[in-house]
Amino acid sequence: MELTLDNIPIFAYTGGKSFDRCLPVVVLIHGAGHDHSVWNYQARKLAHHGYAVLAPDLPGHGRSGGEPLSSIEALASWIETLLDAVGVPQAALAGHSMGSLVALQAATQLQSRVTRLLLIGSVAPMPVAAPLLEAARHDRKTAHLMINQWSYTPASQLGESPIPGMSLTGLNTRLMERQREGVLATDLAACNAYRNGLEAARSIRVPTALICAERDQMTPRKAVTPLREALIDTPSGVHMINIKSAGHAMMAEAPDAVSDAMRSFLERA
């Protein structure tokens, strides 16, 4: 699906189905240095089970034009602009890693326009290690190696994959390589600078799920505690979902488990 927002071309994947705003809408927000393709499996599952899916390439990423936005707040406002552009009054928001911060902040800004919130591989705050920030600015190849090492389980790094014959770390490397120069550094800096996450979480008034991977090194379960506690006292509380035997890149390492968790939460909520 191709759109124009503020005179900038934007691409959004719709899961292989024509976008129908009359169906329950789910917006899938990708993480740092990525694009819509990290959601391919989940987007198709949702689109073929009664949902209208929008998995956009954020500005400056993938097939979308413009420059990458430099703050989580700006990205959240952009999500609102996207919903306005496609004529969607309400939507569920799902975000992975950086995308989870965008979804969280957008839910705060959009209030009643958000129906459900799914935070996948999320912590708040989300500090980024100084060596990774430095590598993203000056040595992308090293940054990509660091991200693969921390995002995937040892088995995946040795070649295990739910898709026979496919290297998950190889695919992720190519995905990051095809992003424009400076995109990863801008995204990681935005994550590192965002300090409003816990305050935003305390304002949430919709059913919320925290989907955590058992072997996540980037946003480990013990680091999720402050965000969980900020959400647990809200009127809707928080539903914790654990994805076994997967790391931070859980949508690729455990595609069925993540898809099932998302559908189950959306339907139950």
Side-chain angles (χ1 to χ4, degrees):
M1 181 178 186
E2 296 181 348
L3 306 163
T4 300
L5 273 63
D6 298 327
N7 297 316
I8 294 172
I10 298 297
F11 178 79
Y13 180 56
T14 59
K17 290 273 192 176
S18 297
F19 183 75
D20 183 355
R21 64 177 60 86
C22 294
L23 295 173
V25 177
V26 183
V27 180
L28 307 177
I29 308 169
H30 64 75
H34 282 163
D35 61 29
H36 75 276
S37 62
V38 298
W39 293 108
N40 280 353
Y41 189 89
Q42 290 75 30
R44 289 187 66 84
K45 275 287 186 114
L46 290 170
H48 285 78
H49 287 86
Y51 293 91
V53 173
L54 276 180
D57 287 346
L58 295 174
H61 297 69
R63 294 167 58 182
S64 289
E67 296 298 320
L69 302 180
S70 61
S71 73
I72 299 301
E73 290 86 351
L75 286 162
S77 295
W78 185 86
I79 294 296
E80 181 174 9
T81 301
L82 174 67
L83 294 179
D84 290 342
V86 296
V88 171
Q90 288 188 310
L93 302 182
H96 174 250
S97 198
M98 179 189 79
S100 72
L101 299 182
V102 178
L104 179 62
Q105 180 64 30
T108 300
Q109 295 177 196
L110 290 168
Q111 294 291 326
S112 61
R113 291 188 69 179
V114 177
T115 59
R116 311 282 188 269
L117 183 61
L118 296 95
L119 307 176
I120 302 168
S122 187
V123 294
M126 191 178 285
V128 180
L132 178 55
L133 285 172
E134 182 68 13
R137 295 188 192 103
H138 304 296
D139 185 357
R140 288 178 66 192
K141 184 176 180 180
T142 296
H144 297 165
L145 290 171
M146 295 167 74
I147 288 170
N148 275 345
Q149 181 179 353
W150 295 336
S151 294
Y152 292 87
T153 60
S156 291
Q157 294 182 43
L158 290 172
E160 184 177 283
S161 171
I163 308 170
M166 284 289 184
S167 165
L168 295 183
T169 55
L171 285 173
N172 192 50
T173 298
R174 297 297 173 265
L175 169 58
M176 292 186 290
E177 286 177 344
R178 75 185 186 208
Q179 306 306 321
R180 299 165 213 175
E181 187 70 38
V183 166
L184 179 61
T186 299
D187 290 349
L188 293 178
C191 292
N192 195 55
Y194 182 62
R195 294 291 181 267
N196 194 46
L198 298 182
E199 181 181 350
R202 294 186 189 102
S203 73
I204 298 302
R205 296 295 181 268
V206 296
T208 301
L210 277 170
I211 302 180
C212 307
E214 185 177 53
R215 305 187 67 181
D216 191 335
Q217 297 181 77
M218 296 281 269
T219 53
R221 282 183 62 88
K222 64 181 179 181
V224 177
T225 300
L227 179 57
R228 177 180 177 273
E229 290 179 347
L231 288 163
I232 204 166
D233 291 331
T234 64
S236 299
V238 61
H239 187 70
M240 296 290 296
I241 302 172
N242 185 47
I243 304 298
K244 294 183 178 180
S245 304
H248 191 63
M250 65 189 90
M251 288 103 73
E253 289 192 307
D256 281 312
V258 173
S259 295
D260 291 346
M262 294 176 70
R263 283 186 59 206
S264 176
F265 174 74
L266 288 169
E267 291 166 5
R268 178 174 53 251

